[in-house]
C-alpha cells in the first residue's frame, strides 16, 4: 500500500524557510492553491503578494536576489514562463540570480485545460542558459525540493506536485543524480514526475510476460549526467522508452534522443508524451489514458520497441489511484 502524504509542500517550505530572513516567499495571487497560505499567516514578514502581475514579479524577484535575498516564487507553472518570459530571461536567467521558481500544476495534473497546463515548460527551460530544472515525482521529493533548489548558485525551475502526493522514495533529491528503480536487461525506461508511478504500475505485469526492464527516474533534468544514461543504455538489449507528463519535443524524450545521437548509439528509442497537441480539461487519470501517458501506454511503447505483443490489459496492471478533482486542497478544482 502506497502512503499518501497530504500537502507535503506546505510543511516542507515552512520548515525550510521559517526563521531564515533571507528567504522570501512570493505569491502571484494563488497563495492557497500553492499551499503557502499557512506560511503567509504565520510568517507575514517573509511573505509578499504581488498579485496577478507575473511580469512584475519576475523583475521584482531578480532585484531581491541582487540585494542578497533568496526569493521563492509560487504560482502555477504555466503563468511563470508564458506570460513573463522576457522578464524571466533578462532579470533572472541572464544575470544568474538565485531565484527559485516553484511551478505548480505541471502538465495534465490539472483539469483546467490549455490555459492552466504547463506542457512545454521543460523544453523552454532546457533552452535557457544558466537554468537548473528539477521535477518532483513523489512526496519525498516535494519535501526536499526547497533544500535542493536552494543549493544551486543560480536560477532554478521546479515542477511541484501538490495536494495528496504518494510516497514512492525514501531518500531526498540529490541534484544531478538519477534514481535507478529497477535493473533489468531487456529495455530501459526513463520517466520523470507523475509518469514514474505509472511505470511502477506496469512492472509486475511486464515481469509476468518475461520482460525485464531497467527503470530510471529523473528528478534533475538539467544539469544531466549523459554518461550515466549511456551506461544504462549499454546495459539493455533492445533500447529505450521515455514517458513524460509533457510534450515529446524538448522534454526528457528529446534529452535522451540528443544524448544517444551525440554518442552515436544505434539502439531504438520510443518517446511517449503529448504528441504535438494541447490537452483539454478532465481528470488526471482520464487525460493520461486519453493522451497515452499512463501505464498501459508504456506497455504499448515497449511492445513497439521490441516488436512483440504481450496482451496486457488494465486489469493486469497495479491499480491506478483516483484523485479527487474537487477537494479542500484544490479549492477551485484547478
Amino acid at each position: 500500500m502506497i502512503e499518501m502524504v497530504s500537502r507535503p509542500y506546505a510543511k516542507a517550505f515552512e520548515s525550510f524557510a521559517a526563521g531564515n530572513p533571507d528567504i522570501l516567499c512570493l505569491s502571484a495571487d494563488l497563495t492557497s492553491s500553492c499551499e503557502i497560505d499557512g506560511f503567509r499567516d504565520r510568517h507575514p514578514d517573509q511573505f509578499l503578494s504581488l498579485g496577478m502581475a507575473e511580469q512584475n514579479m519576475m523583475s521584482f524577484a531578480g532585484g531581491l536576489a541582487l540585494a542578497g535575498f533568496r526569493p521563492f516564487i509560487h504560482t502555477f507553472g504555466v503563468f511563470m514562463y508564458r506570460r513573463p518570459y522576457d522578464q524571466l530571461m533578462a532579470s533572472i536567467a541572464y544575470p544568474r540570480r538565485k531565484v527559485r521558481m516553484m511551478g505548480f500544476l505541471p502538465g495534465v495534473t490539472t483539469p483546467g485545460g490549455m490555459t492552466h497546463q504547463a506542457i512545454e515548460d521543460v523544453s523552454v527551460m532546457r533552452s535557457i542558459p544558466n537554468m537548473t530544472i528539477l521535477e518532483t515525482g513523489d512526496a519525498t521529493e516535494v519535501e526536499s525540493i526547497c533544500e535542493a533548489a536552494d543549493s544551486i548558485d543560480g536560477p532554478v525551475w521546479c515542477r511541484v506536485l501538490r495536494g495528496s502526493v504518494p510516497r514512492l522514495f525514501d531518500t531526498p533529491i540529490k541534484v544531478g543524480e538519477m534514481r535507478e528503480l529497477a535493473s533489468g536487461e531487456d529495455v530501459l525506461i526513463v520517466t520523470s514526475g507523475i509518469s514514474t508511478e505509472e511505470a511502477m504500475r506496469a512492472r509486475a505485469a511486464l515481469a509476468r510476460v518475461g520482460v525485464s526492464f531497467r527503470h530510471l527516474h529523473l528528478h534533475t533534468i538539467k544539469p544531466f549526467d549523459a554518461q550515466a544514461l549511456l551506461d544504462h543504455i549499454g546495459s539493455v538489449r533492445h533500447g529505450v522508452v521515455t514517458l513524460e507528463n509533457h510534450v515529446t519535443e524538448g522534454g526528457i524524450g528529446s534529452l535522451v534522443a540528443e544524448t544517444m545521437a551525440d554518442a552515436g548509439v544505434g539502439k531504438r528509442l520510443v518517446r511517449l508524451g503529448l504528441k504535438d497537441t494541447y490537452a483539454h480539461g478532465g481528470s488526471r487519470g482520464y487525460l493520461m489514458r486519453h493522451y497515452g501517458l499512463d501505464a498501459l501506454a508504456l506497455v504499448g511503447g515497449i511492445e513497439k520497441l521490441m516488436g512483440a505483443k504481450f496482451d496486457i490489459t488494465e486489469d493486469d496492471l497495479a491499480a491506478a489511484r483516483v484523485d479527487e478533482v474537487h477537494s479542500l486542497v484544490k479549492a477551485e478544482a484547478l
Side-chain angles (χ1 to χ4, degrees):
M1 179 68 72
I2 294 177
E3 175 194 0
M4 300 301 297
V5 182
S6 178
R7 291 167 58 93
Y9 186 82
K11 303 179 185 73
F13 179 74
E14 183 166 11
S15 175
F16 183 74
N20 188 336
D22 290 341
I23 296 178
L24 298 179
C25 178
L26 277 60
S27 172
D29 205 35
L30 287 167
T31 304
S32 62
S33 296
C34 294
E35 300 183 352
I36 49 173
D37 46 328
F39 186 87
R40 172 200 60 196
D41 297 342
R42 289 183 287 273
H43 309 279
D45 292 343
Q46 289 178 257
F47 179 83
L48 295 165
S49 177
L50 291 154
M52 296 176 66
E54 291 85 358
Q55 293 169 327
N56 176 63
M57 181 172 67
M58 289 297 176
S59 295
F60 193 85
L64 288 173
L66 176 62
F69 293 100
R70 304 202 307 280
F72 279 68
I73 298 177
H74 299 82
T75 187
F76 296 168
V78 72
F79 301 146
M80 203 149 48
Y81 69 98
R82 286 185 188 167
R83 189 173 302 160
Y85 183 71
D86 182 61
Q87 287 77 11
L88 189 159
M89 288 282 273
S91 298
I92 295 175
Y94 171 67
R96 199 172 179 173
R97 300 291 181 229
K98 293 182 180 180
V99 176
R100 291 70 174 97
M101 290 164 278
M102 310 312 252
F104 289 75
L105 304 188
V108 299
T109 58
T110 169
M114 183 278 292
T115 57
H116 286 67
Q117 293 163 341
I119 61 170
E120 80 286 8
D121 56 312
V122 173
S123 60
V124 172
M125 292 301 145
R126 281 188 63 221
S127 69
I128 297 178
N130 300 330
M131 188 65 65
T132 293
I133 306 171
L134 305 177
E135 178 167 14
T136 58
D138 88 319
T140 301
E141 292 187 344
V142 173
E143 290 166 349
S144 57
I145 191 70
C146 294
E147 185 172 359
D150 205 42
S151 71
I152 303 301
D153 184 17
V156 186
W157 179 267
C158 302
R159 296 183 113 206
V160 185
L161 301 176
R162 69 172 188 178
S164 183
V165 183
R167 189 179 301 285
L168 307 177
F169 314 124
D170 56 9
T171 56
I173 291 173
K174 293 183 180 178
V175 176
E177 297 185 7
M178 56 185 73
R179 297 186 191 270
E180 183 179 344
L181 305 182
S183 55
E185 298 176 346
D186 289 328
V187 178
L188 175 63
I189 309 300
V190 183
T191 62
S192 63
I194 62 172
S195 301
T196 293
E197 187 180 1
E198 292 301 307
M200 295 171 74
R201 287 181 57 218
R203 184 186 302 167
L206 287 164
R208 285 193 292 270
V209 297
V211 177
S212 167
F213 73 74
R214 183 175 294 255
H215 183 193
L216 299 179
H217 165 76
L218 305 185
H219 51 62
T220 304
I221 298 174
K222 185 183 177 185
F224 180 71
D225 188 344
Q227 187 56 54
L229 175 66
L230 291 170
D231 290 344
H232 285 291
I233 294 172
S235 299
V236 298
R237 297 184 186 93
H238 297 283
V240 188
V241 179
T242 61
L243 177 64
E244 58 191 310
N245 176 31
H246 190 269
V247 294
T248 52
E249 295 73 28
I252 65 168
S254 292
L255 176 59
V256 172
E258 293 158 13
T259 302
M260 294 173 71
D262 288 344
V265 175
K267 292 180 178 176
R268 294 192 63 198
L269 169 65
V270 173
R271 297 181 298 153
L272 302 175
L274 290 166
K275 298 287 189 179
D276 194 28
T277 184
Y278 296 100
H280 54 245
S283 69
R284 179 194 300 190
Y286 165 76
L287 292 173
M288 294 184 80
R289 171 57 55 84
H290 182 77
Y291 291 106
L293 310 177
D294 65 355
L296 203 58
L298 178 62
V299 171
I302 296 172
E303 290 176 332
K304 179 180 179 182
L305 183 78
M306 296 179 63
K309 186 67 177 175
F310 305 131
D311 295 321
I312 293 174
T313 68
E314 180 65 38
D315 292 338
D316 299 315
L317 303 170
R321 292 185 301 101
V322 179
D323 295 330
E324 292 287 345
V325 174
H326 300 273
S327 70
L328 293 177
V329 296
K330 301 175 185 177
E332 57 290 292
L334 294 174

